[in-house]
Amino acid sequence: MFYCHLSFYIFWSSVSLLGLLFQFEHFHITLILLTFCSALFNLGLQVDLENKLFGQHIASRIILKAVNGFMSNSNPKKPLVLSLHGWTGTGKNFVSQLIAENIYREGMDSSFVHVFTSTLHFPHKSQIDTYKSQLQQWIKGNITNCERSMFIFDEMDKMHPGLIDSIKPYLDYYERLDGVSYRKAIFIFLSNTGGDSIIQTALDFWQAGRNREEIELKDLETSLSLSVFNNKQGGFFQTSLIDKNLVDFFVPFLPLEYQHVVQCAMAEMKARGLQPRREIADMVAKDLVYFPKSERVFSVKGCKTIESKLDYYT
């Protein structure tokens, strides 16, 4: 009888210990997930924007204030929604990368950063209803795992109209939807739409002999939001996201001038561990195409081809 009671005691003690270990391990895993998910924001974004993004004084100011303010708010009323607009090579994707690198340890490689490219993930108009359902499930599932998730939608100008409206509830002022809070997530939309109106404003300032740093958001915001909303070929065409004022900031990216291309080339050499050489940067910059054709003011492709050009000149 004594041995029976002793064996039962040892067995029960072992089960209890295993239970405690399981609970501790579960707590430990949960703690790790929460730590990696929500406690990583640092204050290096300002330094990165100042030292790595060139010719974008409006975008830098908006991005810095919007992201810093949002991440320092422990109880935001809605997700942060940014829509970045401008011609190719002006820094839209690059800024998204900088934001991710200052929030997550693994930057764009983080499992909490999700990138959707319209032509890759949503290619067929006939399957738009399927895309809507999949997109809703993907966002809900990932925010359930990490409330500080980031979603980047590239090529919004190529997205089928109506698709993006499927995520409208997640961007709104709801405290919870089906038990899930979306208020701490970040949504970033990237688009070439509106680039022409931005360029025209920059040209107007240049032709008037005014400094590009004099261009303010108020000079661009209204025409930008209208051109995006009324573009029948783009993903924002008459979208409820704009109609219901759920996009917090329309961020214009100005066309880049020769001096900015030189800065891009110098920064890329430094990033490669090379000694930045102005003469090489000048060769790279002179090799690009500029417009208007006679004055050669703005780079047609911004800084997009800098890396491949440097491969040639170095």
Side-chain angles (χ1 to χ4, degrees):
M1 184 68 68
F2 172 76
Y3 291 109
C4 180
H5 281 297
L6 181 61
S7 298
F8 178 78
Y9 174 78
I10 293 173
F11 170 76
W12 185 251
S13 297
S14 299
V15 170
S16 300
L17 180 60
L18 286 172
L20 287 172
L21 287 172
F22 174 79
Q23 291 178 26
F24 174 78
E25 187 65 23
H26 176 73
F27 171 77
H28 184 59
I29 292 172
T30 303
L31 185 61
I32 289 175
L33 178 61
L34 288 174
T35 300
F36 274 81
C37 173
S38 61
L40 305 179
F41 183 63
N42 64 67
L43 300 177
L45 183 58
Q46 180 174 357
V47 175
D48 281 346
L49 290 172
E50 290 175 352
N51 296 331
K52 298 178 181 180
L53 182 68
F54 308 110
Q56 304 298 351
H57 65 283
I58 300 175
S60 293
R61 183 169 59 250
I62 297 173
I63 295 295
L64 181 63
K65 290 185 176 181
V67 175
N68 280 359
F70 182 76
M71 292 302 297
S72 62
N73 186 351
S74 61
N75 187 30
K77 300 303 180 185
K78 66 179 290 297
L80 177 62
V81 183
L82 303 172
S83 191
L84 315 187
H85 298 266
W87 267 21
T88 183
T90 52
K92 302 184 299 295
N93 281 282
F94 184 59
V95 162
S96 301
Q97 177 185 325
L98 293 182
I99 295 173
E101 289 175 352
N102 280 277
I103 295 179
Y104 309 98
R105 285 195 181 94
E106 297 178 353
M108 292 294 291
D109 293 327
S110 170
S111 58
F112 307 124
V113 177
H114 313 280
V115 181
F116 300 94
T117 303
S118 295
T119 53
L120 175 63
H121 295 101
F122 317 113
H124 307 295
K125 188 176 182 179
S126 60
Q127 298 184 27
I128 189 170
D129 289 334
T130 300
Y131 297 149
K132 286 181 178 181
S133 177
Q134 292 174 340
L135 191 54
Q136 289 174 335
Q137 293 173 11
W138 182 260
I139 290 175
K140 180 179 181 180
N142 281 284
I143 290 184
T144 299
N145 291 333
C146 177
E147 60 184 0
R148 286 290 188 184
S149 293
M150 178 186 294
F151 301 91
I152 301 172
F153 292 84
D154 198 4
E155 297 183 346
M156 281 299 298
D157 48 302
K158 297 179 177 67
M159 180 179 285
H160 302 298
L163 173 56
I164 203 63
D165 286 88
S166 64
I167 71 169
K168 183 260 181 187
Y170 307 141
L171 275 58
D172 216 326
Y173 288 84
Y174 298 112
E175 185 172 353
R176 289 184 181 275
L177 290 171
D178 296 329
V180 180
S181 174
Y182 298 84
R183 292 181 167 189
K184 293 184 179 181
I186 296 178
F187 292 83
I188 302 177
F189 302 105
L190 312 179
S191 176
N192 291 345
T193 303
D196 290 342
S197 63
I198 295 171
I199 286 172
Q200 188 58 54
T201 300
L203 271 174
D204 290 343
F205 271 71
W206 178 78
Q207 290 170 346
R210 301 176 64 182
N211 195 310
R212 69 186 279 129
E213 276 69 34
E214 294 180 50
I215 303 175
E216 299 180 16
L217 180 60
K218 65 181 182 180
D219 298 315
L220 297 162
E221 192 170 31
T222 301
S223 61
L224 179 56
S225 60
L226 285 175
S227 64
V228 170
F229 186 74
N230 293 317
N231 179 15
K232 295 181 179 180
Q233 305 302 318
F236 277 134
F237 176 59
Q238 296 187 352
T239 174
S240 58
L241 273 62
I242 296 177
D243 191 40
K244 300 300 182 182
N245 299 308
L246 297 180
V247 178
D248 297 302
F249 297 98
F250 288 94
V251 186
F253 281 70
L254 301 173
L256 300 182
E257 299 177 9
Y258 180 91
Q259 60 176 322
H260 306 126
V261 176
V262 170
Q263 289 177 302
C264 287
M266 296 285 281
E268 178 61 23
M269 282 187 275
K270 183 177 180 180
R272 295 185 180 190
L274 303 174
Q275 179 66 36
R277 295 170 57 188
R278 176 61 190 251
E279 64 272 21
I280 292 180
D282 277 324
M283 285 191 290
V284 169
K286 290 175 181 176
D287 207 21
L288 301 187
V289 179
Y290 295 83
F291 71 97
K293 192 172 183 179
S294 56
E295 292 90 350
R296 288 175 53 87
V297 181
F298 302 119
S299 170
V300 171
K301 295 184 179 180
C303 286
K304 194 174 185 68
T305 59
I306 291 299
E307 291 187 16
S308 58
K309 296 289 185 184
L310 273 178
D311 289 338
Y312 177 79
Y313 285 108
T314 59

